[in-house]
Amino acid sequence: MIKNSETEIFFIGPITEDHGQGRVTKYTYQILRYKFQIDCINTHIKNLNVVFKILRSLIILLKIIFYSIKTSISKSRNLVYFTPSRKHFSSYKDFIILLGVFILKRLNIKIKIIGHLHGSDLLKFLNNGYYGKLLYLLYNFTLDGLIINSENHKLFALGDHFPNYKIINNPIEFDSSIIDKINNKKSYKDGKIFITFISGPSKEK
């Protein structure tokens, strides 16, 4: 397959099989890399050691800054794809990404930025304190699009007023054992399939 050489993508997100967000990010990356030139930063940090996490986070921030400089002298159309964070420390990368793109746009650099939101607590985080409100303004002034899962997801993303939502349902995979159980009607009764949904417990969910 011939890749689109006119568009370069800077892809930032957790690529892992450890959780749902990581799986969707992995699928998205696998699709895009066959069509476009991609620089990728995997933000998944498996080692939970505090010192390692800080060092790894600093490396990620330095890579983002390097890409911003590279983009400023690039002649290609540039697209940034990233997964927004909903925690204070990990949101620093979002701040650097959004601020960098905001500056590049003001310099008339050809660049667009797309966020792919997972989770239901972004707006709550952005409404908390001066830093959250500053980040909220950067989202609204900089984002060209925000991918969400449903119409109701808007209430927990950037609110109803944000004009550039794109609703895309997350893919769901069933392994063969589940399919076999459905086919054998072990999870099927009176025309209904009974499914138990288990996710990370939180007040918002």
Side-chain angles (χ1 to χ4, degrees):
M1 179 179 292
I2 300 176
K3 294 185 177 182
N4 184 336
S5 59
E6 296 183 354
T7 300
E8 294 182 4
I9 297 178
F10 186 35
F11 191 99
I12 311 160
I15 300 175
T16 177
E17 290 285 337
D18 290 351
H19 47 70
Q21 176 179 340
R23 292 189 187 97
V24 174
T25 304
K26 179 182 176 181
Y27 299 152
T28 306
Y29 172 71
Q30 289 174 338
I31 292 170
L32 292 176
R33 70 175 180 171
Y34 286 109
K35 293 187 176 182
F36 301 96
Q37 303 294 329
I38 289 188
D39 289 321
C40 177
I41 294 180
N42 185 358
T43 60
H44 178 63
I45 303 176
K46 197 173 185 65
N47 191 326
L48 297 180
N49 179 275
V50 174
V51 175
F52 181 87
K53 287 181 71 175
I54 292 174
L55 290 175
R56 173 69 175 146
S57 297
L58 288 174
I59 291 172
I60 289 172
L61 291 177
L62 289 174
K63 286 183 177 180
I64 292 171
I65 293 171
F66 170 78
Y67 177 80
S68 298
I69 296 172
K70 176 185 173 183
T71 300
S72 67
I73 59 176
S74 173
K75 294 182 179 180
S76 300
R77 293 195 302 266
N78 292 277
L79 172 68
V80 177
Y81 171 99
F82 79 109
T83 56
S85 303
R86 291 106 60 199
K87 303 296 182 183
H88 191 95
F89 182 75
S90 55
S91 73
Y92 290 151
K93 71 170 177 58
D94 300 347
F95 180 82
I96 298 297
I97 293 168
L98 291 165
L99 181 62
V101 172
F102 178 83
I103 293 172
L104 290 172
K105 285 185 173 185
R106 294 305 177 274
L107 295 174
N108 293 320
I109 303 298
K110 295 181 291 185
I111 187 168
K112 290 189 176 183
I113 180 167
I114 303 295
H116 192 161
L117 179 62
H118 305 267
S120 57
D121 46 3
L122 178 63
L123 190 59
K124 179 181 177 182
F125 168 65
L126 296 177
N127 285 330
N128 186 23
Y130 291 110
Y131 170 69
K133 290 179 172 59
L134 176 59
L135 198 54
Y136 176 80
L137 290 174
L138 279 174
Y139 270 106
N140 278 274
F141 284 116
T142 309
L143 269 188
D144 293 289
L146 182 63
I147 300 171
I148 57 176
N149 297 329
S150 66
E151 192 72 25
N152 289 336
H153 204 182
K154 293 179 180 180
L155 301 176
F156 307 100
L158 294 174
D160 282 331
H161 70 280
F162 183 74
N164 298 321
Y165 287 116
K166 178 68 175 179
I167 298 176
I168 301 176
N169 293 325
N170 284 337
I172 299 175
E173 283 191 342
F174 294 103
D175 61 34
S176 58
S177 64
I178 295 176
I179 299 299
D180 290 341
K181 287 180 180 179
I182 292 174
N183 289 336
N184 294 330
K185 299 185 179 181
K186 293 180 180 179
S187 300
Y188 182 83
K189 184 178 179 181
D190 298 329
K192 297 179 181 179
I193 297 175
F194 294 88
I195 297 175
T196 299
F197 178 78
I198 301 175
S199 182
S202 69
K203 182 179 179 181
E204 289 76 14
K205 292 183 179 179

